[in-house]
Amino acid sequence: MRALLQRVTGAQVRVAGEVVGKVGAGLLILVCAMPGDDLGTVEKLADKIIKLRIFRDEAGKMNLSLKDSGGGALVVSQFTLAADTSRGNRPGFSGAAGPAEGERLYLAFAQALRDRGIAVECGRFGADMDVELTNQGPVTIWLDSND
């Protein structure tokens, strides 16, 4: 799985003008399932994300995890994280998991975060979404479960 984390003071996602998910302080997590990913991959990525020390402590140092900070997560499916730009000018997306498997793993990932005590809201899989965020720091981190 691939994930792009953005530390936010707030974020929301709209579908057809309607807010379907939002979070205050915490993370906006854009996530993409890749071929070969399974529930073990989901669990590993969820564990990594909630333990990453990317939130400020009292001294202003990035020393707190999402769990320590009490922040929530807005999880949005983003198959374009699988973009292959190695040939030509049009990205290819055949490196993403198929839609049915992608949705299953996306939903399992959101649930894995919930199971670890994180308040989670989600976008809508496969929908054309508008995402608004205020990136704090800015802090943006790329994760790939194959790394």
Side-chain angles (χ1 to χ4, degrees), residues 35-67:
D37 288 342
D38 58 20
L39 293 177
T41 310
V42 165
E43 298 290 327
K44 178 181 165 186
L45 186 62
D47 282 337
K48 178 74 172 178
I49 289 171
I50 68 162
K51 293 177 185 175
L52 274 177
R53 297 184 334 178
I54 58 174
F55 292 87
R56 293 184 182 128
D57 64 13
E58 315 78 45
K61 295 187 179 203
M62 288 200 311
N63 212 18
L64 300 177
S65 69
L66 179 61
K67 192 155 182 92

Side-chain angles (χ1 to χ4, degrees), residues 52-115:
L52 274 177
R53 297 184 334 178
I54 58 174
F55 292 87
R56 293 184 182 128
D57 64 13
E58 315 78 45
K61 295 187 179 203
M62 288 200 311
N63 212 18
L64 300 177
S65 69
L66 179 61
K67 192 155 182 92
D68 295 334
S69 74
L74 176 58
V75 179
V76 177
S77 62
Q78 178 94 28
F79 78 94
T80 60
L81 292 178
D84 176 1
T85 60
S86 64
R87 296 186 317 246
N89 295 318
R90 179 177 286 176
F93 302 105
S94 61
E101 185 66 357
E103 182 174 20
R104 182 180 78 85
L105 293 173
Y106 161 71
L107 294 173
F109 173 73
Q111 188 59 50
L113 292 175
R114 287 184 189 102
D115 292 346

